[in-house]
C-alpha cells in the first residue's frame, strides 16, 4: 500500500502492456464537433446523450469506441496548457493520408503545414497536421511513404511543433 513499509507495491495480479482505449476531448459546441469528426474523419456515432444539461457523444469505427466528445469547454484549445498536446490517427498508407487531406481541404479545414510532411528530416513516416473546430491539434500519418517530403522542424519531431 502506498505510504506504508518501504513504498513498494505488492500485487499478485499480472500486469500486462497497456494500449490506448479511447480519447476524450472537451469541446465548446457538440453539434459542430460531431459534424466535423463524422464528415471530415468518417467516425460513426455510437451514442449521444444529455444529462442535466451536459451533452456528450461517443464516436467509433465498426462499433468500437475511439473518441468521446464532452461539451464542457469554455474556450478554444490552449496549446500552452498542460494536457493533450495533439491527437494522432494512423492510416494504412500514405495514399490514405492524401485522401484525407483532399477531403479536409474540401471542407475548409485549417492546416498547420502544407501537404504531407515528414515526421523529421529524412524520415519515411509522415502525414498531415490540422486543427478541429476548437483548435485541437490533429494528425493523420502513415509509417512510410513520406520519403522526400519536407520536415518543417528539421531533425526535431514535426508533430511536436505545430
Amino acid at each position: 500500500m502506498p505510504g506504508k513499509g518501504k513504498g513498494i507495491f505488492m500485487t499478485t495480479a499480472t500486469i500486462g502492456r497497456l494500449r490506448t482505449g479511447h480519447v476524450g476531448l472537451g469541446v465548446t459546441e457538440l453539434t459542430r464537433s460531431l459534424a466535423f469528426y463524422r464528415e471530415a474523419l468518417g467516425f460513426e456515432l455510437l451514442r449521444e446523450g444529455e444529462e442535466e444539461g451536459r451533452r456528450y457523444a461517443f464516436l467509433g469505427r465498426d462499433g468500437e469506441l475511439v473518441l468521446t466528445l464532452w461539451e464542457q469547454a469554455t474556450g478554444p484549445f490552449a496549446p500552452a496548457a498542460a494536457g493533450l498536446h495533439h491527437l494522432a490517427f494512423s492510416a494504412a498508407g500514405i495514399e490514405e493520408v492524401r485522401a484525407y487531406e483532399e477531403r479536409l481541404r474540401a471542407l475548409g479545414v485549417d492546416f498547420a503545414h502544407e501537404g504531407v510532411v515528414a515526421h523529421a528530416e529524412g524520415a519515411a513516416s509522415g502525414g498531415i497536421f490540422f486543427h478541429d473546430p476548437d483548435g485541437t491539434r490533429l494528425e493523420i500519418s502513415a509509417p512510410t511513404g513520406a520519403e522526400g517530403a519536407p520536415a518543417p522542424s528539421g531533425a526535431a519531431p514535426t508533430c511536436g511543433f505545430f
Side-chain angles (χ1 to χ4, degrees):
M1 297 181 74
K4 293 194 174 190
K6 296 181 182 176
I8 298 174
F9 290 91
M10 301 298 286
T11 182
T12 57
T14 301
I15 296 177
R17 294 188 320 183
L18 297 175
R19 67 178 184 86
T20 303
H22 70 272
V23 174
L25 295 179
V27 300
T28 58
E29 295 177 36
L30 184 63
T31 301
R32 179 181 69 173
S33 292
L34 260 176
F36 173 81
Y37 284 97
R38 293 178 77 190
E39 293 171 28
L41 301 182
F43 285 109
E44 62 190 51
L45 179 62
L46 301 177
R47 189 170 118 205
E48 183 177 3
E50 184 171 346
E51 193 170 304
E52 298 178 19
R54 300 179 300 183
R55 296 178 60 208
Y56 61 90
F58 293 175
L59 301 171
R61 291 247 162 83
D62 301 321
E64 183 178 340
L65 178 62
V66 175
L67 184 65
T68 59
L69 303 176
W70 305 93
E71 189 179 71
Q72 63 187 30
T74 58
F77 179 76
L84 180 73
H85 180 274
H86 73 284
L87 175 56
F89 298 102
S90 296
I94 206 70
E95 300 80 20
E96 186 178 2
V97 173
R98 291 188 199 289
Y100 273 108
E101 178 189 12
E102 186 177 321
R103 177 191 285 184
L104 294 166
R105 287 205 186 281
L107 292 170
V109 170
D110 175 46
F111 279 80
H113 303 295
E114 188 60 38
V116 171
V117 295
H119 276 136
E121 192 72 38
S125 64
I128 56 174
F129 299 86
F130 55 100
H131 302 92
D132 80 356
D134 285 311
T136 301
R137 302 184 302 187
L138 303 171
E139 169 186 358
I140 299 175
S141 64
T144 61
E147 297 89 346
S153 301
T158 299
C159 64
F161 298 99
F162 72 102

